[in-house]
Structure formats: C-alpha cells, structure tokens
Amino acid sequence: AVFSPRGDQILTVSAGMTAELWDKATGQLLRVFPGHAGEVESAVFSPRGDQILTASRDGARLWDKRTGALLKSFPRTFAEQMHGARSAVFSPR
C-alpha cells in the first residue's frame, strides 16, 4: 500500500487483479482499477497524484486517478513473457 502525495488517499493492490483507491480518513473505497489479466503486484501514484501506474504479469497500465479511465497500456514484450512487470515506478520529473 502507498499513500497519495497529499497523504489523504491510500492505494492498494489485490490478488483479484485490481488496484483499489481508498479515502484515508473514512476508509471508503473510492475507485477500483480493473482490467489486468493477472495479479496486480505494484501500484503507485504519479508525483502530482493525478495518475496511477499499475504493474502485473500482463504488463503495466496508466490510469487517470479522478475518472478511473485507462490512459495507456504497456503490454509485456516477448522477452518478458515469463516475468511480466513486477514493480511500478514514476520518475520524479
């Protein structure tokens, strides 16, 4: 689990092939990011907190945090067929 840049939200991953966004103060589930074909192993906020990057064996996906829309899919390449994406990281710039 990771905290949003403002510290008011928490992002978690599950074996259910999703990432979930939670309100820290209320514990309310705000949004689910579905669509991976395998367990989501990592999820992070962008430095501005407006996007979410998820990583799974089927690749990585970039999401709009506010709407939940899938912005870009980065499928695994042939060389990554056995391992997929295990970690999601944003550059600070």
Side-chain angles (χ1 to χ4, degrees):
V2 295
F3 285 95
S4 64
R6 291 185 358 193
D8 60 335
Q9 296 172 333
I10 301 170
L11 185 61
T12 62
V13 298
S14 75
M17 299 182 264
T18 64
E20 297 85 23
L21 181 64
W22 304 86
D23 183 277
K24 183 182 117 183
T26 66
Q28 178 183 0
L29 178 62
L30 301 174
R31 185 162 322 288
V32 175
F33 300 91
H36 280 284
E39 180 178 347
V40 177
E41 299 195 28
S42 180
V44 293
F45 289 95
S46 65
R48 290 188 318 216
D50 61 334
Q51 296 176 339
I52 289 173
L53 182 65
T54 57
S56 176
R57 284 187 173 261
D58 66 345
R61 293 180 181 205
L62 182 65
W63 308 87
D64 181 287
K65 183 190 83 169
R66 187 180 58 79
T67 67
L70 178 63
L71 301 174
K72 178 84 174 163
S73 182
F74 305 92
R76 64 184 183 193
T77 65
F78 180 75
E80 299 166 324
Q81 293 271 342
M82 296 304 292
H83 302 292
R86 299 293 180 124
S87 182
V89 179
F90 271 99
S91 170
R93 291 185 181 207

